[in-house]
Every structure is written in C-alpha cells, then in structure tokens.
C-alpha cells in the first residue's frame, strides 16, 4: 500500500479558541503541528503518497508542508469549497489517487492520536478480501460513540448510533477513525454533495451485501476533539505513552524547544511543552501543559493541564487548572482560573479579577 487520504477539513469547533486562527490538525502537539505526527506514522508504515482533504483554513497546510519531500512523502492538497462530510471529502480527494481499482487506500481522520498498527490493518484488509476494513477500538463507556458489533471472524454486523439505554450497548467496540478502502469502493460514494461515511456510506454498503471487516486494535487511542483531550495527547506524546517518530527530542517529563527560555528554578513536569520563543519565569510551575510559541509565563505562576496560546501572557502568581488561553490573550497577575475556562484570543483579564478562593 502506498496511498492514503487524510481528512483535515473540519472546523474544530469543540477546540475553540485554539482553532480561531489555526486549523485543528495544525495546532502544535509535542512541539510540532499534530498533523506532523500522523504523516510521520503513515510514512513509517510504508505510505508514500498522501492526499490532504482540506476545507477550513485550507491555505495554511501547503505553505508549511509543501510537497512533503522533507518528510519523505509526496503530498497533494484538495480543497472543498463547501464542507462535504467524511464521505464527501474522501470522494472529492479520489481524483488525485493513482491506485488501481482493487488496490487498498488508507483513509484516516486528522484528529485521532493512535498507536494503530497500520500495516496490520492493511494486512487484515488484504487477507480477508474486504471491501472496506475499519480500525475498531474498545472503550469502557461507549455511550458517546457509534457501536460496531462484529462476528467471531471480525466481519461487521451493523453500525449502531450512540446508545441511549444499557440494553442498546451490545458491544464495547467503536469506530476508531481509520479505514482501508478498496479503491473501486471510493468511486461509489456520491460526488458533489455532503456524505457521512458513518451514517450513510458504511450502512449502505452493509445493506448492499458488501464485506466490511473490523480489526480491533486497542493500543493507545485518543480523540483530540476537546481542549482537555488535546492537552493530554500532547503530554502523552512527550511522555512516550503515545508513539510518534516526529517528537522533536527525547521522550521525558518535559520538552523545551530550542529558542524557548526557562528560568533555572522553574519546574516543568508531566509532559509539559514550552514552544519556540516562549518564556517561563522564576519559580513558575507548569505540569502536563503546553505553552505555545512566544507565550510568557511570569514568575510564580502555576499552570496545570492547560494550554497557553501563542503570544499569550500569564501574570505573576496566577493559577490555571484545565484552562485554555487563546492566542495573544493576557491574564493579569493573581488570577485563578479553573477547569473548563476558555479565554478568547486577545482577551485581557485585569490583575486579580477572577478568583475561586479568597485573595488572602
């Protein structure tokens, strides 16, 4: 297998304000755009030609990755003028594929961090003679996902929407967002209109008697759709819990990019990343967090499980837990922001303006 389609057109609304200026796959994770990790893993699995299906902020991708030669890949870009959904995006990108009708084509979503054995998924596809093969993963609580029950051979039996009652939870297997299509099957997806592979393409194929094969691979898997998940994914990459050949440095408790500055007595733990040109001041403590390029963490600030946007500033002694701070925002000194807070791009919070505890 040498070809893949990578779906990177989503608006990333659940990640805002991180995605106000940056498409979700380009938000840095472990020091590089998240998309870099996916491209590197595809390359390591033997893929050499990837078509990027873009839409939202499409103009950002090609200036960064170019033709892909720096990664040892051949990259092409296809832009949807109007969002076409997962199936529509796959169909829209198909004109750039070179595969023969019976050849396998890898398709994966641009917001999933996974340790999937890509070669094994392709091998499963070829040895079972499937029309489409799906990566399935097992989750403890499947209520937020579509369920994919299979028989004892791995053949997909149904696609079930998010279960509403305990009786509807017939399996813990969910669609994990990576597929291998027989090239000719892609051509059967309707062109020029929105199509969902999950709600339309796969159920229709199953109803028509097509062979859809599931392969359970329950290695590391994380949907990076929310700020908390994105921060966790970046930390897991730095810590080495999530595999990627693209982490720019050795795995460990922290990753400090070359032009960043960190005070000698600042403490960085839990997979924290300090981006290019960022600064962490004296006595600051940053755990499990990402500080993006050009951001400033002033002395004595305490940041936990948070993401600090590019060029943002966190004032002295401010305490942030589970917080997302947008690009260019300024948090004054002595503020206290707790889990779930999203500070918008370029917003300014005065000194001591927000607290959950006494100022004493």
């Amino acid at each position: 297998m040498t070809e893949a389609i990578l779906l990177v057109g989503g608006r990333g609304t659940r990640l805002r304000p991180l995605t106000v200026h940056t498409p979700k796959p380009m938000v840095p994770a472990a020091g590089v755009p998240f998309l870099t990790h996916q491209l590197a893993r595809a390359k390591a699995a033997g893929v050499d030609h990837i078509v990027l299906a873009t839409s939202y902020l499409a103009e950002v991708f090609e200036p960064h990755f170019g033709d892909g030669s720096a990664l040892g890949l051949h990259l092409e870009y296809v832009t949807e003028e109007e969002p076409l959904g997962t199936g529509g995006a796959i169909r829209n990108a198909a004109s750039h594929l070179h595969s023969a009708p019976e050849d396998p084509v890898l398709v994966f979503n641009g917001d999933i961090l996974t340790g999937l054995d890509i070669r094994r998924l392709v091998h499963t596809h070829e040895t079972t003679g499937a029309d489409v093969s799906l990566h399935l993963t097992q989750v403890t609580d499947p209520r937020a996902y579509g369920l994919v029950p299979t028989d004892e051979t791995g053949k997909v039996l149904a696609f079930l929407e998010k279960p509403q009652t305990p009786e509807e939870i017939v399996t813990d297997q969910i669609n994990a967002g990576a597929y291998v299509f027989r090239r000719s099957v892609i051509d059967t997806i309707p062109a020029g209109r929105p199509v969902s592979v999950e709600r339309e393409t796969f159920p229709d194929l199953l109803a028509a008697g097509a062979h859809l094969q599931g392969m359970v691979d329950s290695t590391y898997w994380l949907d990076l759709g929310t700020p908390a998940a994105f921060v966790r994914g970046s930390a897991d990459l730095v810590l080495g819990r999530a595999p990627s050949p693209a982490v720019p440095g050795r795995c460990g408790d922290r990753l400090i990019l070359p032009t960043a500055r960190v005070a000698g007595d600042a403490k960085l733990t839990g997979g924290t990343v300090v981006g290019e040109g960022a600064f962490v001041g004296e006595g600051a403590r940053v755990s499990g967090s990402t500080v993006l390029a050009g951001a400033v963490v002033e002395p004595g600030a305490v940041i936990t499980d948070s993401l600090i946007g590019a060029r943002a500033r966190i004032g002295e002694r401010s305490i942030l837990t589970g917080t997302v701070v947008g690009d260019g925002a300024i948090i004054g000194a002595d503020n206290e922001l707790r889990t779930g807070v999203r500070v918008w791009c370029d917003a300014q919070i005065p000194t001591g303006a927000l607290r959950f505890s006494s100022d004493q």
Side-chain angles (χ1 to χ4, degrees):
M1 182 196 62
T2 60
E3 289 199 296
I5 295 172
L6 182 49
L7 305 175
V8 293
R11 297 187 64 86
T13 52
R14 291 184 297 158
L15 272 180
R16 289 171 70 86
L18 298 180
T19 51
V20 170
H21 304 301
T22 307
K24 177 167 52 177
M26 296 298 287
V27 176
V32 297
F34 174 67
L35 178 56
T36 309
H37 299 290
Q38 292 187 304
L39 294 173
R41 294 201 72 248
K43 167 66 178 174
V47 176
D48 59 21
H49 177 219
I50 299 179
V51 182
L52 298 183
T54 69
S55 179
Y56 177 64
L57 296 176
E59 67 278 5
V60 170
F61 295 94
E62 190 167 3
H64 185 90
F65 292 106
D67 63 3
S69 56
L71 296 171
L73 293 164
H74 173 212
L75 299 182
E76 294 188 70
Y77 305 84
V78 177
T79 301
E80 304 160 31
E81 299 306 321
E82 297 291 335
L84 295 173
T86 47
I90 294 167
R91 182 69 174 85
N92 192 51
S95 61
H96 289 255
L97 297 173
H98 310 308
S99 303
E102 297 304 303
D103 288 344
V105 176
L106 176 68
V107 177
F108 49 116
N109 288 330
D111 56 1
I112 301 294
L113 177 59
T114 176
L116 167 68
D117 186 338
I118 297 173
R119 291 183 185 271
R120 180 174 159 234
L121 180 62
V122 176
H123 179 72
T124 297
H125 178 80
E126 293 177 329
T127 55
T128 60
D131 295 298
V132 182
S133 297
L134 297 85
H135 171 209
L136 307 179
T137 193
Q138 295 167 305
V139 295
T140 304
D141 184 358
R143 288 176 297 176
Y145 305 96
L147 308 185
V148 186
T150 56
D151 68 13
E152 63 278 0
T153 69
K155 208 168 185 179
V156 174
L157 300 174
F159 290 90
L160 307 175
E161 283 302 309
K162 298 173 184 178
Q164 303 300 310
T165 65
E167 292 75 26
E168 292 177 303
I169 303 176
V170 297
T171 180
D172 61 358
Q173 296 175 176
I174 66 166
N175 178 355
Y179 321 110
V180 179
F181 277 76
R182 189 191 305 272
R183 170 69 178 86
S184 57
V185 174
I186 294 177
D187 292 331
T188 67
I189 299 173
R193 68 168 176 85
V195 181
S196 165
V197 289
E198 301 87 355
R199 295 180 179 84
E200 182 176 345
T201 303
F202 292 156
D204 286 356
L205 285 169
L206 207 58
H211 177 181
L212 276 66
Q213 184 73 22
M215 187 197 82
V216 177
D217 183 324
S218 291
T219 52
Y220 186 97
W221 183 86
L222 185 64
D223 178 349
L224 301 185
T226 66
F230 199 97
V231 170
R232 177 183 154 199
S234 178
D236 284 348
L237 284 162
V238 174
L239 292 166
R241 295 171 180 165
S244 170
V247 176
R250 296 173 59 185
C251 291
D253 220 25
R254 63 185 190 175
L255 174 65
I256 303 173
L257 272 64
T259 60
R261 295 179 298 129
V262 177
D265 63 348
K267 187 174 182 181
L268 309 180
T269 58
T272 285
V273 181
V274 183
E276 295 282 2
F279 172 73
V280 179
E282 294 82 2
R285 289 180 289 155
V286 188
S287 176
S289 299
T290 294
V291 180
L292 293 183
V296 173
V297 178
E298 294 185 357
V302 179
I303 300 173
T304 306
D305 298 336
S306 298
L307 194 147
I308 311 304
R311 305 174 310 283
R313 178 177 289 268
I314 309 303
E316 295 184 17
R317 299 174 302 279
S318 281
I319 300 172
L320 279 65
T321 303
T323 298
V324 175
V325 178
D327 297 343
I330 298 175
I331 310 299
D334 299 309
N335 281 290
E336 186 179 352
L337 279 61
R338 289 190 179 178
T339 300
V341 169
R342 304 184 190 212
V343 180
W344 232 248
C345 300
D346 301 313
Q348 297 189 25
I349 298 178
T351 296
L354 288 175
R355 299 194 63 83
F356 287 82
S357 61
S358 166
D359 62 351
Q360 303 299 311

